[in-house]
Amino acid sequence: MGTYYLSTPIYYVNDLPHIGHIYTTLVADTLARYRRMAGDDVFFLTGTDEHGQNIERAAARQGIRPIELADRVVSRYHDLWRRFDITHQDFVRTTEPRHRRGVEEMVRRIAAAGDLYVAPHEGWYCSSCETFYTEKELGQPGNLCPTHDRATEWKSEENVFFRLSKYERPLLEWIDSGAPAIQPESRRNEVRAFVEQGLRDLSVSRAALEWGIPFPGRPGQTVYVWLDALSNYVSALGFGAPAGAGGDLYERYWERGDVRLHLIGKDIIRHHCVYWPAFLMSAGVPLPTMIWAHGWWLRDQKKMSKSVGNVVRPDHLVERFGPDALRYFLLREMVFGQDASFSDEAFVERYNSDLANDLGNTASRLVTLSRQAFGGRTPPVPCDDNPLIALAAEVVAEYRQAMDGLAFQGALRALWRLLAEANQYLVAREPWKTIRSEGASDALSRVLWNGLESVRIVATGLLPFMPTLAPRVLAGIGVAEARGSLAALAWGGLPTGRELPALEPLFPRIDKEKYMSEIPTPPPAPTPAPEAAPPAGAVPQPGAAAAAAAPANVANVIDIQQFGAVELKVGQVLLCEAVPKSEKLLRMMVDVGEGAPRQLVAGIAKAYRPEQLTGTQVVIVANLKAAKLMGLESNGMVLAATQADGQPVLLRPETAVAPGTRVK
Ligand code: MSP
C-alpha cells in the first residue's frame, strides 16, 4: 500500500477516439480500480495534447480556430470516458494555463542546468509525430515516416537545442539500474540499443509554428510539442504552480510518490523512455518508476490509425452491448505488450463464449436452481470442505500476481479457470436431478452454494474490468454490497438465506450471422473527404450490403462513394528533373488538364531517370492535400506499384489519353 500514480498518453485532438486510443485508457482504468481495491492511494491522469502543426492544419481544413477543434474533440473524449465510467482523478489539456506554467518551469530548470543552446536545424520532418528523422531512418520510397507511412517534409530553421547527448550515460545507467523501469523487456532492450548507438542533441523549439506555448525568452519560437506534451505528467499535479496554489499533489504523487507509472503505446517509446527521462534528469525532477509500452491494435495487419483509414470507433459496439463487453474484449484479447488484431467476428465469438455462456449461463442456472429449491433465497447451508476451495485460492493468487504485473489477459484466464472448474463440479453433481430426487436438502444447498461462491469470486475479480456488469452479477447472486477490496476474493463471502431476485439476462447471446450482416459502415472521419460523384455505371450499394459482400480477408472495406472521393487523373509529364541534394526525389511539372501545369515531387529517382519520364503519361491522385518535400510543394501523388524490394513501377494508361482524363 502506498501512492500509485498512473497516466495514459494525452491524446491528439485532430482525431476522434478509436479503439487504439481507448485501449490505453481502459487499461489504466482497470489498473486504477484494482490498485484501489488493493488499498493504494491512486492518482490516475489522462488528457489531451492540443498544440502543434497537425492540429493547426486540421483546424484550418475545417475553417475553424485550433482551440475550437480542440474543444469539440475534448468534449467527445469526456463523453466517452463518462460512458466507460473511467475513474480518472484529473484530465489535463495542454492549452490550460496551469499546464503552460508547468512547461515554463521545466524549460527554466533545463536552461538553468546549462542544457539549452541555439543552432540551425534541418532534417526530414513528420508532422504526424512532430519529429525530425534522418534519411537513414526513413522508409522507402518517398521519404516516408517509419511510423505513419506518410511523406515527411524537409525543414530548415534556427532552433533551441537540448543537450540530449550529455544524458547518454546517465540514461544507460538508469535503464540498467536494478528496477526494470521499462517494460516489457524487449522494449527495454530496444531503448537501450537506441541510446547506446549515440544520442544527438534534440531541437526543443519550433519557429513559425504559432499554435504552441511561446518558448520562454525566445520570441518567435514555440516549445517543441513533445517537451510541451510530456510535461503534462507533472503540470497536472501543480509542477510550476505558484507556491501554495496547487496543494501538495506534486510532492505527494510525484516527488515523494511510491509508484509513478506511464502507460503508453509502443510508437511513443523514444519520447517517453529517452527524451522525457533526460528532460527530468536535467530539471532535477525524479524519473518515472515504470514505463509500460503496449502493442498496437491492428486491422488488416496494419496499425489501426486515421492516416491508414482502418480505424474501428467504439461507438456502435458500446451502443449495442454496453461499455463492459468492449472493456472485457480488449483486455482479454490483447497480451499486454504485444500487438493484437481487432475483428467484429472475434468480438462476437468471445462475447458469446465467455460472457453469455461461461459467466452468464452459469450464474443464471445457479440462481434459478437456488430460487427453486430454497424459496427464492441463496442456499441456507454453506460449505467449507470441497475441491473448489483450494482451486479458488490458487486462482486468486494467480489473478493477483497477473494484475500486479499488468498481465490482464492472464488475470482473466485465471478467473475463467475457476468458472470452468465450477461448471465441471456442477455437471458432476447434477443438482438439477437432486432437486427432483431429494428436494431442498443440505447436500443440495452445499453444491449450489459452492457454485455461487465461485461465481462471486470471479465477479469480484471482474470488478476492475467490468465496473457496471460485475456489480450486477454480484447483486444477482445475492451479494448486495459489491466490496471493492482484495479481501473479498477470499473463499466464504456468499451470504446464506439472502433474498435472491430472478436474474435478468446480463449477457444476452448475440446472433452472430445477423449481427455481422448489420455492422454499420464506419462513421465519416471528422474531416470529411471532398464530395465526389460515383463513377459512371457504378451501382450504388448500401454500406451494410457492400460490407457483407466484401471479399474474404479484407477488413477495411470501403464503399463506392468512399472510393469515388479519391480523384485519380492521367497527367502528361511536361518536365522532369532531379531534386538537388536528394537521392530519391524527382520534381515534375504535369499537365492534368487544368490549364496551368502542377508541380509534383515523387520519390522515384532510384528507379527512373528524369529523361525517361519527360513526355510520358502518369496517373496521379489529384485531390490529395499538398505536401512539402525538401522545401518543394507537391500537389498530388504519382501512383506506382511498390515491389517487395521497395522499387516503384509507375502506373500508366495503356494508350495515351487526354491529360486530365479521370481514372475510375
Ligand atoms: N499526443 C501523443 C502522446 C503524447 S503523451 C505525452 C500521441 N497521441 S495519439 O493520440 O496519437 O496516440 C495516443 C496513444 O494512442 C498512443 O499511446 C498510441 O500508441 C495509442 N494508439 C494509437 N493508435 C493505436 C493502435 N492502433 N493501437 C494501440 N494503441 C495505439 O501519440
mmCIF file of all heavy atoms in Angstrom, residues 8-12 18-21 23-24 49 77 148 226 229-233 263-268 272 294-298 303-305 334, ligand 1:
data_model
loop_
_atom_site.group_PDB
_atom_site.id
_atom_site.type_symbol
_atom_site.label_atom_id
_atom_site.label_comp_id
_atom_site.label_asym_id
_atom_site.label_seq_id
_atom_site.Cartn_x
_atom_site.Cartn_y
_atom_site.Cartn_z
ATOM 1 N N THR A 8 -2.142 7.933 -18.729
ATOM 2 C CA THR A 8 -2.234 7.496 -20.127
ATOM 3 C C THR A 8 -1.475 8.547 -20.935
ATOM 4 O O THR A 8 -1.217 9.639 -20.417
ATOM 5 C CB THR A 8 -3.686 7.496 -20.634
ATOM 6 O OG1 THR A 8 -4.124 8.861 -20.752
ATOM 7 C CG2 THR A 8 -4.604 6.738 -19.701
ATOM 8 N N PRO A 9 -1.177 8.267 -22.202
ATOM 9 C CA PRO A 9 -0.671 9.364 -23.035
ATOM 10 C C PRO A 9 -1.794 10.390 -23.167
ATOM 11 O O PRO A 9 -2.969 10.051 -22.984
ATOM 12 C CB PRO A 9 -0.424 8.697 -24.390
ATOM 13 C CG PRO A 9 -0.535 7.242 -24.173
ATOM 14 C CD PRO A 9 -1.351 7.022 -22.965
ATOM 15 N N ILE A 10 -1.438 11.604 -23.472
ATOM 16 C CA ILE A 10 -2.507 12.565 -23.745
ATOM 17 C C ILE A 10 -2.769 12.515 -25.248
ATOM 18 O O ILE A 10 -1.853 12.416 -26.054
ATOM 19 C CB ILE A 10 -2.163 13.977 -23.220
ATOM 20 C CG1 ILE A 10 -0.784 14.426 -23.678
ATOM 21 C CG2 ILE A 10 -2.297 14.015 -21.713
ATOM 22 C CD1 ILE A 10 -0.490 15.882 -23.325
ATOM 23 N N TYR A 11 -4.048 12.529 -25.609
ATOM 24 C CA TYR A 11 -4.446 12.217 -26.980
ATOM 25 C C TYR A 11 -4.485 13.469 -27.856
ATOM 26 O O TYR A 11 -4.928 14.531 -27.409
ATOM 27 C CB TYR A 11 -5.820 11.526 -26.970
ATOM 28 C CG TYR A 11 -5.768 10.262 -26.141
ATOM 29 C CD1 TYR A 11 -6.206 10.240 -24.815
ATOM 30 C CD2 TYR A 11 -5.207 9.107 -26.676
ATOM 31 C CE1 TYR A 11 -6.101 9.089 -24.049
ATOM 32 C CE2 TYR A 11 -5.101 7.952 -25.918
ATOM 33 C CZ TYR A 11 -5.548 7.950 -24.605
ATOM 34 O OH TYR A 11 -5.431 6.808 -23.853
ATOM 35 N N TYR A 12 -4.058 13.299 -29.104
ATOM 36 C CA TYR A 12 -4.140 14.410 -30.049
ATOM 37 C C TYR A 12 -5.603 14.724 -30.329
ATOM 38 O O TYR A 12 -6.435 13.812 -30.367
ATOM 39 C CB TYR A 12 -3.473 14.037 -31.377
ATOM 40 C CG TYR A 12 -1.969 13.980 -31.326
ATOM 41 C CD1 TYR A 12 -1.281 12.895 -31.853
ATOM 42 C CD2 TYR A 12 -1.226 15.026 -30.764
ATOM 43 C CE1 TYR A 12 0.112 12.844 -31.821
ATOM 44 C CE2 TYR A 12 0.165 14.970 -30.732
ATOM 45 C CZ TYR A 12 0.818 13.888 -31.251
ATOM 46 O OH TYR A 12 2.183 13.841 -31.221
ATOM 47 N N HIS A 18 -10.459 6.242 -31.366
ATOM 48 C CA HIS A 18 -10.750 4.908 -31.905
ATOM 49 C C HIS A 18 -10.292 3.875 -30.882
ATOM 50 O O HIS A 18 -9.791 4.219 -29.804
ATOM 51 C CB HIS A 18 -10.137 4.727 -33.294
ATOM 52 C CG HIS A 18 -8.638 4.858 -33.371
ATOM 53 N ND1 HIS A 18 -7.777 3.974 -32.772
ATOM 54 C CD2 HIS A 18 -7.845 5.788 -33.971
ATOM 55 C CE1 HIS A 18 -6.526 4.327 -33.019
ATOM 56 N NE2 HIS A 18 -6.538 5.441 -33.732
ATOM 57 N N ILE A 19 -10.451 2.600 -31.256
ATOM 58 C CA ILE A 19 -10.150 1.512 -30.316
ATOM 59 C C ILE A 19 -8.727 1.608 -29.749
ATOM 60 O O ILE A 19 -8.489 1.344 -28.578
ATOM 61 C CB ILE A 19 -10.313 0.149 -31.050
ATOM 62 C CG1 ILE A 19 -11.731 -0.016 -31.561
ATOM 63 C CG2 ILE A 19 -9.846 -1.015 -30.213
ATOM 64 C CD1 ILE A 19 -12.693 -0.631 -30.625
ATOM 65 N N GLY A 20 -7.765 1.988 -30.626
ATOM 66 C CA GLY A 20 -6.369 2.102 -30.187
ATOM 67 C C GLY A 20 -6.211 3.129 -29.082
ATOM 68 O O GLY A 20 -5.414 2.959 -28.158
ATOM 69 N N HIS A 21 -6.963 4.231 -29.162
ATOM 70 C CA HIS A 21 -6.866 5.257 -28.120
ATOM 71 C C HIS A 21 -7.525 4.799 -26.830
ATOM 72 O O HIS A 21 -6.974 4.947 -25.746
ATOM 73 C CB HIS A 21 -7.559 6.560 -28.559
ATOM 74 C CG HIS A 21 -6.962 7.166 -29.785
ATOM 75 N ND1 HIS A 21 -7.728 7.522 -30.872
ATOM 76 C CD2 HIS A 21 -5.694 7.461 -30.102
ATOM 77 C CE1 HIS A 21 -6.934 8.022 -31.805
ATOM 78 N NE2 HIS A 21 -5.694 7.989 -31.359
ATOM 79 N N TYR A 23 -8.038 1.980 -25.729
ATOM 80 C CA TYR A 23 -7.425 0.820 -25.079
ATOM 81 C C TYR A 23 -6.552 1.251 -23.889
ATOM 82 O O TYR A 23 -6.691 0.720 -22.790
ATOM 83 C CB TYR A 23 -6.604 0.024 -26.103
ATOM 84 C CG TYR A 23 -5.854 -1.119 -25.476
ATOM 85 C CD1 TYR A 23 -6.545 -2.221 -24.981
ATOM 86 C CD2 TYR A 23 -4.469 -1.094 -25.338
ATOM 87 C CE1 TYR A 23 -5.870 -3.268 -24.378
ATOM 88 C CE2 TYR A 23 -3.789 -2.130 -24.742
ATOM 89 C CZ TYR A 23 -4.493 -3.213 -24.259
ATOM 90 O OH TYR A 23 -3.825 -4.244 -23.647
ATOM 91 N N THR A 24 -5.654 2.222 -24.114
ATOM 92 C CA THR A 24 -4.749 2.609 -23.024
ATOM 93 C C THR A 24 -5.550 3.125 -21.828
ATOM 94 O O THR A 24 -5.213 2.865 -20.680
ATOM 95 C CB THR A 24 -3.763 3.716 -23.476
ATOM 96 O OG1 THR A 24 -3.457 3.534 -24.841
ATOM 97 C CG2 THR A 24 -2.526 3.739 -22.627
ATOM 98 N N ASP A 49 -3.602 16.417 -25.935
ATOM 99 C CA ASP A 49 -2.403 17.062 -26.456
ATOM 100 C C ASP A 49 -2.890 17.977 -27.585
ATOM 101 O O ASP A 49 -3.270 17.480 -28.645
ATOM 102 C CB ASP A 49 -1.488 15.944 -26.981
ATOM 103 C CG ASP A 49 -0.129 16.423 -27.391
ATOM 104 O OD1 ASP A 49 0.091 17.642 -27.393
ATOM 105 O OD2 ASP A 49 0.720 15.565 -27.707
ATOM 106 N N TYR A 77 -14.125 13.193 -25.989
ATOM 107 C CA TYR A 77 -13.383 12.349 -25.040
ATOM 108 C C TYR A 77 -14.099 12.297 -23.690
ATOM 109 O O TYR A 77 -14.237 11.236 -23.093
ATOM 110 C CB TYR A 77 -11.944 12.854 -24.860
ATOM 111 C CG TYR A 77 -10.983 12.229 -25.857
ATOM 112 C CD1 TYR A 77 -10.545 12.924 -26.976
ATOM 113 C CD2 TYR A 77 -10.536 10.918 -25.684
ATOM 114 C CE1 TYR A 77 -9.682 12.332 -27.896
ATOM 115 C CE2 TYR A 77 -9.670 10.321 -26.592
ATOM 116 C CZ TYR A 77 -9.249 11.032 -27.695
ATOM 117 O OH TYR A 77 -8.402 10.433 -28.599
ATOM 118 N N HIS A 148 4.243 6.570 -39.527
ATOM 119 C CA HIS A 148 2.960 6.922 -40.135
ATOM 120 C C HIS A 148 2.843 6.573 -41.609
ATOM 121 O O HIS A 148 1.789 6.749 -42.206
ATOM 122 C CB HIS A 148 2.667 8.412 -39.925
ATOM 123 C CG HIS A 148 2.437 8.734 -38.494
ATOM 124 N ND1 HIS A 148 3.450 9.152 -37.667
ATOM 125 C CD2 HIS A 148 1.328 8.644 -37.740
ATOM 126 C CE1 HIS A 148 2.957 9.329 -36.453
ATOM 127 N NE2 HIS A 148 1.678 9.028 -36.469
ATOM 128 N N TRP A 226 6.626 17.874 -28.092
ATOM 129 C CA TRP A 226 6.845 16.744 -27.174
ATOM 130 C C TRP A 226 7.341 17.216 -25.805
ATOM 131 O O TRP A 226 6.977 16.627 -24.790
ATOM 132 C CB TRP A 226 7.783 15.700 -27.793
ATOM 133 C CG TRP A 226 6.998 14.757 -28.652
ATOM 134 C CD1 TRP A 226 6.854 14.807 -30.002
ATOM 135 C CD2 TRP A 226 6.195 13.666 -28.203
ATOM 136 N NE1 TRP A 226 6.015 13.807 -30.426
ATOM 137 C CE2 TRP A 226 5.599 13.080 -29.346
ATOM 138 C CE3 TRP A 226 5.904 13.106 -26.949
ATOM 139 C CZ2 TRP A 226 4.753 11.979 -29.281
ATOM 140 C CZ3 TRP A 226 5.059 12.008 -26.886
ATOM 141 C CH2 TRP A 226 4.495 11.463 -28.029
ATOM 142 N N ALA A 229 4.099 18.414 -24.421
ATOM 143 C CA ALA A 229 3.151 17.349 -24.060
ATOM 144 C C ALA A 229 3.627 16.518 -22.873
ATOM 145 O O ALA A 229 2.857 16.232 -21.950
ATOM 146 C CB ALA A 229 2.931 16.439 -25.264
ATOM 147 N N LEU A 230 4.896 16.127 -22.893
ATOM 148 C CA LEU A 230 5.386 15.254 -21.816
ATOM 149 C C LEU A 230 5.283 15.925 -20.451
ATOM 150 O O LEU A 230 5.056 15.261 -19.434
ATOM 151 C CB LEU A 230 6.833 14.841 -22.104
ATOM 152 C CG LEU A 230 7.005 13.856 -23.270
ATOM 153 C CD1 LEU A 230 8.422 13.882 -23.822
ATOM 154 C CD2 LEU A 230 6.631 12.440 -22.834
ATOM 155 N N SER A 231 5.413 17.251 -20.450
ATOM 156 C CA SER A 231 5.354 17.958 -19.162
ATOM 157 C C SER A 231 3.988 17.848 -18.499
ATOM 158 O O SER A 231 3.841 18.156 -17.315
ATOM 159 C CB SER A 231 5.715 19.439 -19.358
ATOM 160 O OG SER A 231 6.990 19.543 -19.937
ATOM 161 N N ASN A 232 2.962 17.397 -19.266
ATOM 162 C CA ASN A 232 1.628 17.276 -18.666
ATOM 163 C C ASN A 232 1.636 16.375 -17.441
ATOM 164 O O ASN A 232 0.831 16.535 -16.532
ATOM 165 C CB ASN A 232 0.624 16.743 -19.694
ATOM 166 C CG ASN A 232 0.518 15.223 -19.662
ATOM 167 O OD1 ASN A 232 -0.251 14.659 -18.883
ATOM 168 N ND2 ASN A 232 1.318 14.547 -20.474
ATOM 169 N N TYR A 233 2.575 15.394 -17.467
ATOM 170 C CA TYR A 233 2.565 14.400 -16.399
ATOM 171 C C TYR A 233 2.845 15.028 -15.032
ATOM 172 O O TYR A 233 2.513 14.449 -14.003
ATOM 173 C CB TYR A 233 3.590 13.300 -16.701
ATOM 174 C CG TYR A 233 3.267 12.500 -17.949
ATOM 175 C CD1 TYR A 233 4.241 12.217 -18.904
ATOM 176 C CD2 TYR A 233 1.981 12.008 -18.168
ATOM 177 C CE1 TYR A 233 3.948 11.468 -20.043
ATOM 178 C CE2 TYR A 233 1.677 11.275 -19.303
ATOM 179 C CZ TYR A 233 2.659 11.006 -20.239
ATOM 180 O OH TYR A 233 2.360 10.272 -21.362
ATOM 181 N N LEU A 263 1.624 4.585 -18.861
ATOM 182 C CA LEU A 263 1.189 3.565 -19.818
ATOM 183 C C LEU A 263 1.201 4.216 -21.190
ATOM 184 O O LEU A 263 0.606 5.292 -21.363
ATOM 185 C CB LEU A 263 -0.233 3.103 -19.493
ATOM 186 C CG LEU A 263 -0.417 2.431 -18.139
ATOM 187 C CD1 LEU A 263 -1.896 2.258 -17.826
ATOM 188 C CD2 LEU A 263 0.284 1.089 -18.116
ATOM 189 N N ILE A 264 1.856 3.570 -22.132
ATOM 190 C CA ILE A 264 1.964 4.173 -23.471
ATOM 191 C C ILE A 264 1.847 3.098 -24.547
ATOM 192 O O ILE A 264 1.978 1.913 -24.264
ATOM 193 C CB ILE A 264 3.319 4.906 -23.670
ATOM 194 C CG1 ILE A 264 4.491 3.928 -23.492
ATOM 195 C CG2 ILE A 264 3.447 6.080 -22.742
ATOM 196 C CD1 ILE A 264 5.825 4.470 -23.961
ATOM 197 N N GLY A 265 1.654 3.535 -25.786
ATOM 198 C CA GLY A 265 1.723 2.625 -26.928
ATOM 199 C C GLY A 265 3.169 2.572 -27.412
ATOM 200 O O GLY A 265 3.962 3.483 -27.150
ATOM 201 N N LYS A 266 3.503 1.516 -28.153
ATOM 202 C CA LYS A 266 4.911 1.300 -28.492
ATOM 203 C C LYS A 266 5.470 2.334 -29.461
ATOM 204 O O LYS A 266 6.680 2.448 -29.603
ATOM 205 C CB LYS A 266 5.098 -0.106 -29.049
ATOM 206 C CG LYS A 266 4.425 -0.346 -30.390
ATOM 207 C CD LYS A 266 4.721 -1.751 -30.887
ATOM 208 C CE LYS A 266 4.123 -1.947 -32.266
ATOM 209 N NZ LYS A 266 4.332 -3.282 -32.793
ATOM 210 N N ASP A 267 4.589 3.105 -30.131
ATOM 211 C CA ASP A 267 5.095 4.093 -31.086
ATOM 212 C C ASP A 267 5.673 5.326 -30.402
ATOM 213 O O ASP A 267 6.305 6.147 -31.061
ATOM 214 C CB ASP A 267 3.987 4.516 -32.063
ATOM 215 C CG ASP A 267 2.682 4.850 -31.369
ATOM 216 O OD1 ASP A 267 2.425 4.276 -30.295
ATOM 217 O OD2 ASP A 267 1.919 5.675 -31.890
ATOM 218 N N ILE A 268 5.451 5.466 -29.101
ATOM 219 C CA ILE A 268 5.946 6.691 -28.460
ATOM 220 C C ILE A 268 6.951 6.358 -27.356
ATOM 221 O O ILE A 268 7.098 7.077 -26.383
ATOM 222 C CB ILE A 268 4.783 7.582 -27.959
ATOM 223 C CG1 ILE A 268 3.793 6.794 -27.090
ATOM 224 C CG2 ILE A 268 4.040 8.186 -29.131
ATOM 225 C CD1 ILE A 268 2.656 7.679 -26.542
ATOM 226 N N HIS A 272 9.105 8.787 -24.534
ATOM 227 C CA HIS A 272 8.911 8.571 -23.092
ATOM 228 C C HIS A 272 10.120 7.964 -22.397
ATOM 229 O O HIS A 272 10.322 8.211 -21.206
ATOM 230 C CB HIS A 272 7.699 7.650 -22.861
ATOM 231 C CG HIS A 272 6.401 8.372 -22.994
ATOM 232 N ND1 HIS A 272 5.829 8.649 -24.210
ATOM 233 C CD2 HIS A 272 5.569 8.904 -22.061
ATOM 234 C CE1 HIS A 272 4.701 9.309 -24.027
ATOM 235 N NE2 HIS A 272 4.514 9.475 -22.736
ATOM 236 N N HIS A 294 2.492 -0.838 -24.493
ATOM 237 C CA HIS A 294 1.685 -1.922 -25.049
ATOM 238 C C HIS A 294 1.794 -1.934 -26.572
ATOM 239 O O HIS A 294 2.309 -0.993 -27.180
ATOM 240 C CB HIS A 294 0.220 -1.800 -24.607
ATOM 241 C CG HIS A 294 -0.463 -0.552 -25.061
ATOM 242 N ND1 HIS A 294 -0.848 -0.357 -26.363
ATOM 243 C CD2 HIS A 294 -0.830 0.568 -24.388
ATOM 244 C CE1 HIS A 294 -1.426 0.826 -26.470
ATOM 245 N NE2 HIS A 294 -1.419 1.416 -25.284
ATOM 246 N N GLY A 295 1.292 -3.006 -27.172
ATOM 247 C CA GLY A 295 1.361 -3.140 -28.628
ATOM 248 C C GLY A 295 0.220 -2.399 -29.307
ATOM 249 O O GLY A 295 -0.529 -1.654 -28.669
ATOM 250 N N TRP A 296 0.090 -2.641 -30.575
ATOM 251 C CA TRP A 296 -0.928 -1.944 -31.371
ATOM 252 C C TRP A 296 -2.124 -2.835 -31.635
ATOM 253 O O TRP A 296 -1.972 -4.051 -31.817
ATOM 254 C CB TRP A 296 -0.346 -1.558 -32.731
ATOM 255 C CG TRP A 296 0.581 -0.395 -32.666
ATOM 256 C CD1 TRP A 296 0.665 0.542 -31.681
ATOM 257 C CD2 TRP A 296 1.566 -0.047 -33.641
ATOM 258 N NE1 TRP A 296 1.643 1.454 -31.984
ATOM 259 C CE2 TRP A 296 2.204 1.114 -33.178
ATOM 260 C CE3 TRP A 296 1.952 -0.599 -34.859
ATOM 261 C CZ2 TRP A 296 3.219 1.737 -33.891
ATOM 262 C CZ3 TRP A 296 2.964 0.014 -35.565
ATOM 263 C CH2 TRP A 296 3.579 1.173 -35.092
ATOM 264 N N TRP A 297 -3.275 -2.207 -31.737
ATOM 265 C CA TRP A 297 -4.439 -2.867 -32.309
ATOM 266 C C TRP A 297 -4.304 -2.756 -33.808
ATOM 267 O O TRP A 297 -4.117 -1.650 -34.342
ATOM 268 C CB TRP A 297 -5.734 -2.196 -31.813
ATOM 269 C CG TRP A 297 -6.054 -2.694 -30.457
ATOM 270 C CD1 TRP A 297 -5.813 -2.056 -29.274
ATOM 271 C CD2 TRP A 297 -6.616 -3.957 -30.128
ATOM 272 N NE1 TRP A 297 -6.187 -2.854 -28.230
ATOM 273 C CE2 TRP A 297 -6.694 -4.026 -28.722
ATOM 274 C CE3 TRP A 297 -7.062 -5.045 -30.866
ATOM 275 C CZ2 TRP A 297 -7.198 -5.142 -28.054
ATOM 276 C CZ3 TRP A 297 -7.566 -6.151 -30.206
ATOM 277 C CH2 TRP A 297 -7.630 -6.182 -28.813
ATOM 278 N N LEU A 298 -4.342 -3.907 -34.448
ATOM 279 C CA LEU A 298 -4.168 -3.948 -35.893
ATOM 280 C C LEU A 298 -5.496 -4.265 -36.558
ATOM 281 O O LEU A 298 -6.382 -4.863 -35.948
ATOM 282 C CB LEU A 298 -3.191 -5.066 -36.290
ATOM 283 C CG LEU A 298 -1.865 -5.144 -35.554
ATOM 284 C CD1 LEU A 298 -1.107 -6.385 -36.001
ATOM 285 C CD2 LEU A 298 -1.029 -3.890 -35.831
ATOM 286 N N LYS A 303 -1.292 -1.157 -38.281
ATOM 287 C CA LYS A 303 -1.703 -0.405 -37.102
ATOM 288 C C LYS A 303 -2.997 0.331 -37.422
ATOM 289 O O LYS A 303 -3.115 0.968 -38.465
ATOM 290 C CB LYS A 303 -0.622 0.611 -36.744
ATOM 291 C CG LYS A 303 -0.987 1.430 -35.527
ATOM 292 C CD LYS A 303 -0.038 2.601 -35.320
ATOM 293 C CE LYS A 303 -0.477 3.400 -34.113
ATOM 294 N NZ LYS A 303 -0.039 4.779 -34.133
ATOM 295 N N MET A 304 -3.944 0.239 -36.510
ATOM 296 C CA MET A 304 -5.186 0.973 -36.698
ATOM 297 C C MET A 304 -4.874 2.461 -36.552
ATOM 298 O O MET A 304 -4.375 2.892 -35.516
ATOM 299 C CB MET A 304 -6.143 0.539 -35.590
ATOM 300 C CG MET A 304 -7.572 0.788 -35.861
ATOM 301 S SD MET A 304 -8.533 0.251 -34.433
ATOM 302 C CE MET A 304 -8.636 -1.496 -34.678
ATOM 303 N N SER A 305 -5.089 3.230 -37.594
ATOM 304 C CA SER A 305 -4.835 4.665 -37.456
ATOM 305 C C SER A 305 -5.602 5.433 -38.509
ATOM 306 O O SER A 305 -5.913 4.886 -39.577
ATOM 307 C CB SER A 305 -3.338 4.975 -37.542
ATOM 308 O OG SER A 305 -2.959 5.198 -38.871
ATOM 309 N N MET A 334 -5.915 -8.926 -25.975
ATOM 310 C CA MET A 334 -4.534 -8.497 -26.225
ATOM 311 C C MET A 334 -3.626 -8.947 -25.094
ATOM 312 O O MET A 334 -3.936 -8.730 -23.926
ATOM 313 C CB MET A 334 -4.482 -6.964 -26.344
ATOM 314 C CG MET A 334 -3.080 -6.436 -26.635
ATOM 315 S SD MET A 334 -3.049 -4.623 -26.815
ATOM 316 C CE MET A 334 -3.077 -4.414 -28.583
HETATM 317 N N1 MSP B 1 -0.121 13.051 -28.215
HETATM 318 C C1 MSP B 1 0.766 11.960 -28.304
HETATM 319 C C2 MSP B 1 1.098 11.432 -26.932
HETATM 320 C C3 MSP B 1 1.700 12.437 -26.014
HETATM 321 S S1 MSP B 1 1.950 11.793 -24.424
HETATM 322 C C4 MSP B 1 2.831 12.930 -23.657
HETATM 323 C C5 MSP B 1 0.130 10.838 -29.127
HETATM 324 N N2 MSP B 1 -1.181 10.901 -29.279
HETATM 325 S S2 MSP B 1 -2.077 9.881 -30.132
HETATM 326 O O1 MSP B 1 -3.424 10.331 -29.981
HETATM 327 O O2 MSP B 1 -1.578 9.776 -31.460
HETATM 328 O O3 MSP B 1 -1.872 8.484 -29.504
HETATM 329 C C6 MSP B 1 -2.173 8.269 -28.161
HETATM 330 C C7 MSP B 1 -1.949 6.843 -27.787
HETATM 331 O O4 MSP B 1 -2.810 6.001 -28.538
HETATM 332 C C8 MSP B 1 -0.523 6.356 -28.029
HETATM 333 O O5 MSP B 1 -0.082 5.618 -26.902
HETATM 334 C C9 MSP B 1 -0.662 5.426 -29.187
HETATM 335 O O6 MSP B 1 0.252 4.362 -29.121
HETATM 336 C C10 MSP B 1 -2.074 4.909 -28.943
HETATM 337 N N3 MSP B 1 -2.595 4.343 -30.157
HETATM 338 C C11 MSP B 1 -2.984 4.980 -31.299
HETATM 339 N N4 MSP B 1 -3.306 4.030 -32.215
HETATM 340 C C12 MSP B 1 -3.115 2.787 -31.686
HETATM 341 C C13 MSP B 1 -3.432 1.489 -32.084
HETATM 342 N N5 MSP B 1 -3.876 1.209 -33.275
HETATM 343 N N6 MSP B 1 -3.301 0.513 -31.157
HETATM 344 C C14 MSP B 1 -2.959 0.751 -29.853
HETATM 345 N N7 MSP B 1 -2.638 1.959 -29.459
HETATM 346 C C15 MSP B 1 -2.433 2.949 -30.426
HETATM 347 O O7 MSP B 1 0.846 9.962 -29.577
#
